[in-house]
Amino acid sequence: MSRNAESTAFRSALEVVRGVEPRVADAIAAELADQRESLKLIASENYASPATLLAMGNWFSDKYAEGTVGRRFYAGCQNVDTVEALAAEHARELFGASHAYVQPHSGIDANLVAFWAILADRVESPALRKAQARQVNDLTEADWFALRRELGNQRMLGMSLDAGGHLTHGFRPNISGKMFDQRSYGTDPATGLIDYDRVAEAAREFKPLILVAGYSAYPRKVNFRIMREIADSVGATFMVDMAHFAGLVAGKVFTGDFDPVPHAHIVTTTTHKSLRGPRGGMVLCGPELADQVDRGCPMVLGGPLPHVMAAKAVALAEARRPDFADYAQRIVDNAQALADGLLRRGATLVTGGTDNHLVLIDVSGYGLTGRQAEQALLDSGIVTNRNSVPQDPNGAWYTSGIRIGTPALTTRGLGAAEMDATAELIHTVLNQTTPGTGPDGAPSKAKYVLDPAVAESVGKQAADLLTPFPLYP
Ligand code: DSN
């Protein structure tokens, strides 16, 4: 499709919205302007293609379709079947998985589906077996009580939050941290890297039902072959949440021991991060878990979103094209160029660099908290997010880290030279920002001082850097 056709489609859609609620149309236009003009370095964000975005705004949004392809609880789902089957087929082909479930609305939902499937497959409970066999009328109140207790007190071993793990891998703010008895493995304090011997030791001691690998703030590859061996040695189900790096798996940057699909019993992902699709989730697994995974809706999910599944099909088709592999490699090249540029200017990086799409700066080296650094960068047209570093003394709210990622800027076409210029802008802001004080004059973890002239100058340089790489020209 030509750029003109895309532009006309978006403009027309905006005019239709404007006719009903102009403030929404204005907010949409303002969001595009913001995303166009700032350096978007949030590691989990990207720019979906016009085809992906346009596939979401249509009549599929109006259709209910509980169930799975060819087996729905509603009539008239033949077109939903078409797009769901296409999305699943593209996902299977792209990742080499035998089964794909494309209904989850988000990464948390995909993980819930996976947890359910593993519990249903693994927990030894006569009551659960009866419920699974749809003999629910045979269950007594005592059976239901036992079933709830047995399902809800299983063991999960995942990567700790401050080492880069995710909330849904057994942490308190998420239901996984309440229903599972959870332990975590961290990283080596000297290197910042996963120590597989320590993971094996933790697994031997704790004997988890589920071993989870995957991260949202670990800047390195994970060896999934070793993790699977650890899981097998204690009889655990091995689950990988590849939400952050699914694009690198799709683009064959992560292969062999670093591709989770051949090694894990079950893999979950979001579709909107490095994979560059619509906001949503997905589960991949082998035949042994497929039946339980397909019960995701209505077991733990609300009705599927057919318009988003249509967009998933489009984005997955895009990811199967040869140029996606080139894109995925450029994401990593750019992250390494950004890390090198920061290191040369004196920044401290967790693990000393990166081999994926993200870089984690320990901003305590600049005398700042993550929150101060995040806001100072935002004032300067650089959008990042604060993040804990391992053993973070500032906790999960203020933090000591800034996480930056390259999937979005790589989509716009920026390369190594622009990454070096970006490193210079980030370093300038962090170097010129100082901690501020609260109203009582006491040191504050949130307040900061940055000369507005510096913020303005960096903001202008950031915008100039983007000018040759227009978003939706
Ligand atoms: N919120 C996502 C991220 O930014 O990494 C993970 O769920």
Side-chain angles (χ1 to χ4, degrees):
M1 190 192 263
S2 75
R3 291 286 187 195
N4 257 350
E6 288 163 2
S7 170
T8 305
F10 281 117
R11 279 170 204 278
S12 306
L14 217 49
E15 285 319 301
V16 175
V17 173
R18 192 177 303 285
V20 179
E21 175 47 289
R23 290 170 296 184
V24 170
D26 288 346
I28 294 171
E31 182 58 29
L32 174 58
D34 285 354
Q35 294 204 25
R36 262 188 172 146
E37 287 154 24
S38 51
L39 280 174
K40 173 151 121 159
L41 284 163
I42 292 184
S44 47
E45 292 185 2
N46 209 329
Y47 297 105
S49 71
T52 297
L53 295 177
L54 290 167
M56 275 184 284
N58 56 63
W59 302 270
F60 271 133
S61 170
D62 299 326
K63 190 75 192 96
Y64 256 119
E66 261 99 333
T68 47
V69 174
R71 197 168 179 280
R72 306 281 183 186
F73 291 89
Y74 290 82
C77 292
Q78 57 280 4
N79 303 310
V80 179
D81 281 357
T82 300
V83 293
E84 181 169 351
L86 273 171
E89 181 190 325
H90 283 312
R92 287 193 306 271
E93 293 292 328
L94 180 63
F95 291 108
S98 75
H99 187 71
Y101 182 65
V102 297
Q103 292 189 11
H105 310 155
S106 70
I108 287 190
D109 288 3
N111 286 350
L112 272 179
V113 170
F115 297 153
W116 161 255
I118 297 168
L119 291 172
D121 182 57
R122 293 285 313 277
V123 172
E124 286 310 324
S125 159
L128 178 61
R129 295 295 147 234
K130 279 189 199 165
Q132 287 286 301
R134 297 194 169 84
Q135 297 164 342
V136 284
N137 293 337
D138 298 347
L139 269 78
T140 63
E141 275 308 310
D143 286 334
W144 284 113
F145 179 82
L147 186 155
R148 287 194 293 271
R149 204 187 45 210
E150 286 154 1
L151 277 187
N153 204 23
Q154 297 294 327
R155 293 181 172 180
M156 173 189 289
L157 177 64
M159 190 169 189
S160 72
L161 206 51
D162 70 349
H166 191 255
L167 283 181
T168 54
H169 303 172
F171 295 95
R172 298 294 181 235
N174 181 256
I175 190 169
S176 59
K178 298 182 173 70
M179 67 181 283
F180 286 98
D181 177 8
Q182 191 269 5
R183 297 283 184 283
S184 44
Y185 56 89
T187 47
D188 182 319
T191 61
L193 302 174
I194 293 174
D195 177 341
Y196 295 97
D197 291 338
R198 297 292 300 274
V199 180
E201 197 181 304
R204 269 195 307 275
E205 276 169 19
F206 187 51
K207 301 216 174 3
L209 179 82
I210 309 178
L211 175 65
V212 186
Y215 51 79
S216 47
Y218 179 68
R220 295 291 176 179
K221 295 194 271 202
V222 174
N223 188 315
F224 299 113
R225 178 185 54 75
I226 298 179
M227 294 295 280
R228 171 62 185 260
E229 283 167 12
I230 295 171
D232 284 348
S233 72
V234 296
T237 296
F238 181 39
M239 167 175 162
V240 177
D241 178 345
M242 65 168 182
H244 260 263
F245 51 92
L248 306 184
V249 178
K252 311 290 180 256
V253 177
F254 286 180
T255 55
D257 292 353
F258 306 103
D259 175 353
V261 180
H263 300 293
H265 294 101
I266 189 160
V267 176
T268 60
T269 187
T270 50
T271 44
H272 51 273
K273 297 187 174 92
S274 53
L275 194 53
R276 207 163 60 179
R279 190 157 288 272
M282 194 163 75
V283 181
L284 307 173
C285 64
E288 64 289 350
L289 288 173
D291 178 53
Q292 299 299 345
V293 163
D294 281 350
R295 296 184 196 207
C297 168
M299 189 63 73
V300 294
L301 298 177
L305 308 175
H307 55 307
V308 182
M309 292 196 290
K312 285 174 182 169
V314 171
L316 289 162
E318 289 173 343
R320 290 184 67 192
R321 294 180 181 165
D323 61 349
F324 194 87
D326 173 56
Y327 164 65
Q329 186 57 55
R330 284 187 294 113
I331 291 177
V332 177
D333 294 345
N334 277 345
Q336 288 173 346
L338 194 49
D340 289 347
L342 287 163
L343 288 169
R344 266 204 320 281
R345 290 168 175 88
T348 305
L349 305 185
V350 173
T351 78
T354 179
D355 40 36
N356 57 22
H357 63 298
L358 71 88
V359 175
L360 191 57
I361 311 174
D362 183 342
V363 293
S364 62
Y366 290 98
L368 300 172
T369 64
R371 189 174 156 99
Q372 290 162 334
E374 175 193 85
Q375 290 303 309
L377 288 167
L378 186 63
D379 292 348
S380 314
I382 303 173
V383 188
T384 65
N385 68 280
R386 64 187 186 278
N387 208 103
S388 298
V389 299
Q391 296 96 42
D392 199 314
N394 285 322
W397 181 250
Y398 293 109
T399 82
S400 305
I402 284 291
R403 186 186 68 164
I404 51 183
T406 51
L409 292 186
T410 305
T411 293
R412 285 183 75 162
L414 281 76
E418 291 78 26
M419 290 302 117
D420 194 58
T422 301
E424 172 64 22
L425 297 181
I426 292 172
H427 173 72
T428 300
V429 173
L430 298 181
N431 210 23
Q432 306 236 6
T433 303
T434 51
T437 49
D440 54 358
S444 162
K445 289 186 176 187
K447 305 269 188 231
Y448 60 96
V449 181
L450 172 64
D451 181 348
V454 172
E456 193 183 330
S457 158
V458 170
K460 170 144 190 353
Q461 291 174 68
D464 289 348
L465 202 56
L466 291 167
T467 307
F469 307 98
L471 178 64
Y472 311 133

